Amino acid sequence: MKDKIIKILDNVIDFMSEEQIDEFIEQPPKKELGDYAFPCFRLAKELHKAPQMIANDLVEQIKSSDADISFLDKIEVQGAYVNFFVKKNEYAKTIIEASIDDNYGSSNVGNGKVICIDYSSPNVAKNFHVGHLRTTVIGNSLYKIFTKLGYKVERINHLGDWGTQFGKLIVAYKNWGSEEAVKEKGIEELMRLYVLFHDKADEDENLHEEARAWFHKMETGDEEALKIWKWFYDISLEEFKRVYNLMGIEFDHYTGESFYRDKTAAVVEELESKGLLKDSEGAKIVDLEEYDMAPCLILKNDGSSIYATRDIAAVEYRKKEYNFEKCLYVTGQEQKLHFAQVFKVMELLGNDWAKDNLIHIPYGLVSLSGEKLSSRGGNVIYAEDILKEAINKIKEIINEKNPDLSEEEKENAARIVGVGSVIFNDLYNQRIKDVSFSWQHVTSFEGETGPYVQYTYARCSSILRNFNDFVPTKDIDIEVLTDNASIELLKEISRFNEVISEAADRYEPSVVARYAVDLAQVFNRFYTENRISVPEENIKNARLTLTYITRRILKDSLDLLGIGVVERM
């Protein structure tokens, strides 16, 4: 319907393209204002007329043209808007025919193109805490969104597995740790040693020098240093994968900072050959003062590389290996300057594509009771503990609301809904905003929550189970779906394609999460106002078809967020 209206307007507006008209068209906030509206404010400058006069002229031109407007009930002017009222039966027919297809929402816009997404990236030897969830679930959702649009997505976990912090850990292990304790307690013991190092270093500055020396040994291939480091790495990766499995998240590549340690020399050589490297108090930098940025440190004064060096090496490797269309970095907003520096250095190296194809996707902090989470202090909430607590809380609710479910069904539903509730709470918020975690809200089956959307999906499944002989088809009595509740639901269904595109354009999964809530709410109103179990076959089949389509789009929406569904709960 929108495409038809765009073509009608394109026929009478000769200085705008169809793409520009598409950007202007809106869905009015009230149904009495029509189904689509075209604002004329921005045409005033071009046409030198008042917006309302332009709107009136456009309506006259449309009516006198040879455009097919038979699908419209009427076109009228409201202030500076041209409002289009679509015939309800035509509208319903068009949406049903499009949305009953299982591929509804998919696109081939990304066919033949690669997007790299760098996300999650926890630090080795530190527990996976709730603060890591944001990058992980945002990145996973973007992977699913871009895959839906036809892109080949490379999921990269750029582990923080190299750097001076490992020198600190080795010093702590050799001074105050033991092999037995690390084997018994794993990452918990490594975390204890890391915190202990900083406590001790506050009293003895020489410990920092020892840590730098041990990291330099790692950089120069010292066998003992690398053996200890690899041991800590393996312990950490096992821990991370357990959390990822709980969330149903996978990666194509675990290529952390250590992967690029033999590639940094080439970066230094390239920067030097192009005259970009400068000495600064014994260190090597790229001066970015001209671009209002602090210098980008490339080599420390002891010759060791730093994460910026390794990030530059990673960009060059990924471009060569995957020939990406875009490379996305999902990290906290506190790393904004770091990535601005890295991207600028890539530009200065002569890579014109770096300006538009390297994109930092920042997000806000996660807090519990308003306190920032830290890996050095005691206020650390582990992601696995949060997820398991959510599962337990959801299971208690399921036991209370539906005790007839089998134990296996309860366990499965609690896991899917519990994990989903945590993910949804994160993704429902705009990513740049800070998230405050509240159990009462996260696990609620009412309001704008994951369990509410998952429960609506289960309700749709329950309805369809009651009619085993129902076969979804577009050949239904469309007139049945012209009441207000059905039309409102069809309007939400019609938004799905645009929602996915908008989420991709803005790198914003919250667009999908909020849509899922909107769709669930509108369906529940439809279900309240329209009985499905009626004797009239035409009415029953039409409403079941709308339920079937809603159910599938709810499932697809949740899948785009990295959240599963259950048929019964």
Side-chain angles (χ1 to χ4, degrees):
M1 290 295 150
K2 185 180 178 184
D3 288 344
K4 288 183 178 181
I5 290 168
I6 289 169
K7 291 187 183 302
I8 289 169
L9 287 167
D10 182 56
N11 194 40
V12 296
I13 305 174
D14 56 12
F15 57 88
M16 291 180 72
S17 67
E18 288 190 12
E19 290 76 17
Q20 290 170 319
I21 293 170
D22 186 12
E23 289 176 10
F24 276 40
I25 288 183
E26 303 171 1
Q27 282 199 345
K30 298 178 182 177
K31 59 179 179 290
E32 55 266 27
L33 295 176
D35 300 296
Y36 298 96
F38 182 76
C40 298
F41 301 105
R42 283 179 278 182
L43 278 63
K45 186 176 179 181
E46 180 77 25
L47 297 174
H48 308 292
K49 287 183 181 179
Q52 186 165 358
M53 189 180 296
I54 295 170
N56 283 313
D57 289 348
L58 285 178
V59 171
E60 289 304 316
Q61 290 174 51
I62 291 169
K63 288 180 177 177
S64 61
S65 72
D66 59 358
D68 177 15
I69 57 173
S70 60
F71 67 97
L72 296 171
D73 253 343
K74 60 181 176 178
I75 310 172
E76 65 180 28
V77 174
Q78 295 274 353
Y81 290 83
V82 177
N83 290 355
F84 297 86
F85 295 76
V86 179
K87 288 179 180 176
K88 290 182 177 180
N89 56 354
E90 288 283 341
Y91 186 86
K93 182 173 183 290
T94 302
I95 303 305
I96 290 292
E97 287 181 349
S99 61
I100 202 165
D101 188 325
D102 286 347
N103 291 319
Y104 184 62
S106 298
S107 167
N108 60 8
V109 68
N111 281 8
K113 299 174 184 176
V114 174
I115 286 182
C116 292
I117 308 183
D118 178 326
Y119 62 107
S120 194
S121 311
N123 290 323
V124 163
K126 293 184 183 178
N127 215 313
F128 195 102
H129 65 67
V130 70
H132 292 125
L133 281 174
R134 294 221 74 189
T135 168
T136 305
V137 301
I138 291 169
N140 187 56
S141 180
L142 290 175
Y143 147 67
K144 288 175 173 289
I145 288 166
F146 280 106
T147 300
K148 189 83 167 173
L149 295 176
Y151 291 89
K152 183 180 189 307
V153 180
E154 299 289 345
R155 299 168 290 180
I156 302 170
N157 197 329
H158 188 78
L159 294 169
D161 61 0
W162 202 250
T164 309
Q165 68 268 32
F166 293 100
K168 295 175 182 179
L169 201 53
I170 292 172
V171 169
Y173 170 69
K174 292 185 78 69
N175 283 332
W176 312 294
S178 69
E179 183 177 350
E180 294 75 21
V182 173
K183 282 183 175 178
E184 181 187 346
K185 298 180 180 177
I187 205 164
E188 182 185 341
E189 175 65 5
L190 298 182
M191 288 282 289
R192 186 189 73 82
L193 291 172
Y194 181 75
V195 171
L196 183 60
F197 173 89
H198 286 91
D199 290 342
K200 297 286 188 182
D202 287 341
E203 302 166 8
D204 183 359
E205 281 291 324
N206 292 327
L207 289 173
H208 286 291
E209 200 57 48
E210 284 184 48
R212 283 190 284 270
W214 272 105
F215 177 57
H216 187 66
K217 286 184 178 182
M218 287 169 57
E219 289 260 273
T220 52
D222 180 83
E223 188 176 337
E224 182 188 9
L226 288 177
K227 183 179 179 182
I228 298 172
W229 165 80
K230 184 63 167 63
W231 182 33
F232 293 167
Y233 175 95
D234 290 341
I235 290 170
S236 303
L237 192 57
E238 184 180 345
E239 181 90 5
F240 298 154
K241 285 186 175 180
R242 190 173 68 248
V243 179
Y244 294 139
N245 288 338
L246 189 56
M247 292 193 287
I249 288 175
E250 297 179 347
F251 290 90
D252 299 306
H253 314 283
Y254 285 93
T255 44
E257 292 187 70
S258 65
F259 180 80
Y260 302 99
R261 68 182 188 265
D262 62 351
K263 299 170 178 59
T264 55
V267 169
V268 174
E269 187 179 327
E270 185 181 8
L271 288 167
E272 205 139 40
S273 70
K274 296 192 175 178
L276 293 171
L277 218 52
K278 293 185 178 181
D279 288 314
S280 176
E281 299 178 9
K284 298 283 188 181
I285 65 163
V286 175
D287 187 357
L288 299 175
E289 185 178 0
E290 181 183 344
Y291 308 99
D292 297 320
M293 279 186 264
C296 183
L297 180 61
I298 300 297
L299 289 177
K300 293 185 280 188
N301 53 20
D302 64 358
S304 299
S305 66
I306 192 168
Y307 47 86
T309 332
R310 298 187 284 275
D311 273 338
I312 294 166
V315 175
E316 294 190 335
Y317 173 83
R318 292 166 186 174
K319 188 64 177 176
K320 183 180 178 182
E321 187 73 12
Y322 310 119
N323 191 27
F324 57 74
E325 177 83 6
K326 292 181 181 179
C327 188
L328 313 181
Y329 294 80
V330 185
T331 73
Q333 55 187 329
E334 69 276 4
Q335 294 194 43
K336 182 178 179 181
L337 174 61
H338 165 71
F339 282 105
Q341 291 171 317
V342 168
F343 298 169
K344 180 55 70 176
V345 171
M346 289 303 302
E347 279 185 63
L348 295 175
L349 284 169
N351 302 300
D352 294 337
W353 47 265
K355 188 171 183 179
D356 297 319
N357 295 0
L358 299 176
I359 298 161
H360 178 222
I361 299 172
Y363 56 84
L365 299 170
V366 178
S367 63
L368 202 66
S369 304
E371 294 183 34
K372 180 181 174 181
L373 300 169
S374 163
S375 58
R376 281 188 57 186
N379 186 26
V380 180
I381 312 298
Y382 297 153
E384 189 174 20
D385 292 343
I386 285 268
L387 295 169
K388 287 183 174 179
E389 181 68 12
I391 292 169
N392 290 335
K393 287 181 179 295
I394 293 295
K395 189 174 181 185
E396 288 174 11
I397 296 171
I398 291 173
N399 274 328
E400 180 186 332
K401 290 181 176 289
N402 198 350
D404 295 337
L405 288 178
S406 70
E407 195 58 32
E408 184 181 351
E409 283 181 305
K410 288 177 185 175
E411 291 286 345
N412 182 57
R415 179 182 57 80
I416 291 172
V417 178
V419 171
S421 71
V422 175
I423 295 173
F424 193 92
N425 179 69
D426 193 302
L427 296 181
Y428 188 77
N429 296 277
Q430 289 183 35
R431 58 178 164 77
I432 203 63
K433 292 186 176 179
D434 293 346
V435 175
S436 185
F437 196 89
S438 159
W439 278 120
Q440 185 176 357
H441 175 74
V442 169
T443 57
S444 174
F445 279 76
E446 297 177 358
E448 298 163 352
T449 68
Y452 172 74
V453 178
Q454 289 169 305
Y455 179 75
T456 303
Y457 172 86
R459 167 178 272 181
C460 291
S461 296
S462 175
I463 292 166
L464 293 168
R465 274 198 305 274
N466 291 332
F467 301 93
N468 291 326
D469 57 344
F470 166 70
V471 178
T473 174
K474 63 184 178 183
D475 298 321
I476 56 173
D477 185 351
I478 289 295
E479 295 296 332
V480 171
L481 303 181
T482 57
D483 62 285
N484 287 337
S486 298
I487 291 294
E488 288 305 306
L489 181 51
L490 286 162
K491 281 185 177 180
E492 281 302 316
I493 288 169
S494 75
R495 290 178 53 216
F496 190 46
N497 287 306
E498 288 185 7
V499 162
I500 298 171
S501 296
E502 183 185 348
D505 291 343
R506 291 171 50 195
Y507 310 110
E508 186 59 84
S510 69
V511 174
V512 177
R514 289 170 183 268
Y515 170 77
V517 169
D518 291 343
L519 181 61
Q521 289 174 340
V522 174
F523 173 78
N524 285 319
R525 285 199 293 272
F526 160 81
Y527 181 65
T528 300
E529 295 181 24
N530 291 283
R531 283 187 60 218
I532 293 177
S533 184
V534 294
E536 296 87 352
E537 287 294 316
N538 63 322
I539 296 175
K540 180 175 70 177
N541 286 335
R543 290 174 180 169
L544 282 172
T545 298
L546 202 45
T547 301
Y548 168 84
I549 292 169
T550 301
R551 173 180 175 272
R552 198 195 64 248
I553 296 177
L554 284 172
K555 182 178 186 296
D556 287 351
S557 298
L558 288 168
D559 181 67
L560 290 173
L561 301 172
I563 297 172
V565 294
V566 292
E567 302 300 317
R568 289 158 52 90
M569 73 166 73

